[in-house]
Amino acid sequence: MPFNDLMAALLVVLVWGVNFVVIKWGVGDLPPLLLGALRFMLAALPAGWLIARPALPWRYVLAYGLTMGVGQFGLLFSAMAYGMPAGLASVVLQSQAFFTLLLAGLWLKERWQLNHLLGMLCASVGLWLIASTHGANMTMTGFVLTLLAALCWAMSNLVVRHASQSGYRPNTLALVVWGSLVPPLPLLALSLLLEGPARIGEGLAGLSWRGGFAVIYLALVATLLGYSLWSRLLTRHPAGRVAPFSLLVPAVGLLSASWLLDERLSSPQMTGSALVLAGLIVHVSGGSFLARLRTRRTPEV
C-alpha cells in the first residue's frame, strides 16, 4: 500500500477510535436519541446535495438507514448514556462481525469456515468475561444495549450483502450519506416519546462546547471524512488488504478512553477485551493462515 494510502487508513482508525470518547462527551450534554438525530441531520443535509444517490432501489437505502442509524447508533448512544464505558463499547461493538456471520449463514446461506468458528468461540468467552463485571464501572443495561447495537450493525451489513448478491455495487460513501437521510425523523420521534420535551430543551439550553463539538465531529469527521477515506481505500485496494485496519479501531478506542476519560479496566475486562480482539484477528486473518498451512502440507507430485 502506498505511503499516502497507509496514512489515510491510519487516520480513519484514529478518527473512528476516538469517536467513542466523543460520543461520551456528547451524551453528557444531550439526550442520546437527540444526539443521534442531530448527528445524522448534519451529516446528510449538506452532503446529500453534493453526492449522487447510490445506484440502489430505495428499499435498500431505507433498510440501511434504519438498521445503521436508528438501530446501531441509537442503541450505541443510549448504551453510553446508561453506563457503558467508551473503551469497552469500542470492543463489544466489534461483536458485529460474529452477528454478521450468524445472520449471513441463516439468511444468505453463507458457509462458515473453521477460523470463523474459532474466532467466535474466543470472542464469546471474552464477551462473557466483560459481562460478568457489570456493576463496577459498567452497567448491564449499557452492555446489553451495546450488543443490540452490534446486532443492528450486522443487519445493516446484511442489507449491503443482499444488495451485492442482487447485482448492485453501491458506493460506500454515497450509501452512508443517503442512508443518513433516514434516521433523523425516527430518532427525533423516539426522543420526544422516550426522552421528553423537557429533557430535550434542557440539553439544548445547556449545550457546552464539548456537546457542540461532539455533534460536529460525529457528523463531519467520523461520518463524512471517515467514510470518504475508507471508500477511497476500498476502490484502490482489495477489501482483504483494507479490512484488517479496522481491527485497530477498538485498540485506539481503549487507549483514547484511558487518556481522555481516565477510564480504567479491571483485570477480567482487560482479559475479555484481549480475547474479543484475538477472536476478531482469527476471524479476519485465520482463513489465509489455514490456507497457507494446507498448501504447505500438500505433498508435491
Side-chain angles (χ1 to χ4, degrees):
M1 184 177 290
F3 179 77
N4 288 342
D5 288 351
L6 176 61
M7 291 298 100
L10 294 177
L11 177 59
V12 174
V13 168
L14 178 64
V15 164
W16 285 349
V18 174
N19 185 53
F20 293 89
V21 170
V22 177
I23 293 172
K24 203 69 172 179
W25 288 344
V27 297
D29 276 11
L30 294 169
L33 298 176
L34 177 63
L35 176 63
L38 294 174
R39 173 251 178 98
F40 286 108
M41 287 173 60
L42 185 58
L45 291 180
W49 295 98
L50 303 174
I51 298 175
R53 183 170 72 86
L56 280 174
W58 275 108
R59 65 180 182 274
Y60 287 110
V61 179
L62 290 172
Y64 182 81
L66 289 172
T67 53
M68 177 271 298
V70 180
Q72 177 189 342
F73 285 101
L75 288 166
L76 176 63
F77 288 8
S78 298
M80 296 180 68
Y82 291 101
M84 189 65 183
L88 285 178
S90 70
V91 174
V92 174
L93 192 65
Q94 297 305 314
S95 61
Q96 61 84 18
F98 306 106
F99 283 127
T100 301
L101 179 68
L102 290 170
L103 293 177
L106 295 172
W107 185 21
L108 303 179
K109 308 303 180 185
E110 293 185 4
R111 297 182 62 183
W112 301 341
Q113 305 297 326
L114 177 60
N115 61 294
H116 296 153
L117 297 176
L118 292 175
M120 189 185 305
L121 177 62
C122 183
S124 297
V125 175
L127 290 171
W128 177 82
L129 278 174
I130 293 172
S132 69
T133 66
H134 72 91
N137 60 342
M138 180 194 76
T139 65
M140 181 55 75
T141 299
F143 178 81
V144 171
L145 287 174
T146 307
L147 278 182
L148 291 175
L151 176 61
C152 288
W153 185 357
M155 293 169 65
S156 72
N157 289 339
L158 257 68
V159 171
V160 177
R161 289 195 186 185
H162 188 272
S164 178
Q165 290 186 0
S166 300
Y168 301 104
R169 296 291 186 272
N171 176 274
T172 303
L173 178 61
L175 180 58
V176 169
V177 168
W178 282 80
S180 296
L181 289 169
V182 179
L185 288 179
L187 286 173
L188 280 175
L190 288 170
S191 181
L192 284 169
L193 179 65
L194 300 176
E195 297 165 345
R199 190 177 172 197
I200 291 173
E202 290 173 3
L204 292 174
L207 189 65
S208 69
W209 71 266
R210 282 191 173 185
F213 172 77
V215 174
I216 295 172
Y217 184 96
L218 294 171
L220 304 184
V221 181
T223 302
L224 298 184
L225 176 63
Y227 279 102
S228 63
L229 290 175
W230 195 254
S231 179
R232 178 176 177 271
L233 289 169
L234 289 173
T235 61
R236 292 168 62 91
H237 303 282
R241 187 174 299 171
V242 178
F245 282 96
S246 65
L247 298 175
L248 298 174
V249 171
V252 174
L254 288 168
L255 290 173
S256 61
S258 175
W259 293 337
L260 299 174
L261 299 175
D262 198 30
E263 289 185 358
R264 295 292 181 265
L265 302 185
S266 65
S267 295
Q269 288 172 342
M270 287 189 289
T271 303
S273 298
L275 287 172
V276 172
L277 297 181
L280 286 169
I281 293 172
V282 172
H283 174 76
V284 172
S285 305
S288 58
F289 173 78
L290 291 174
R292 288 195 298 269
L293 190 62
R294 284 193 293 268
T295 301
R296 291 178 181 177
R297 288 182 175 179
T298 302
E300 296 183 2
V301 178

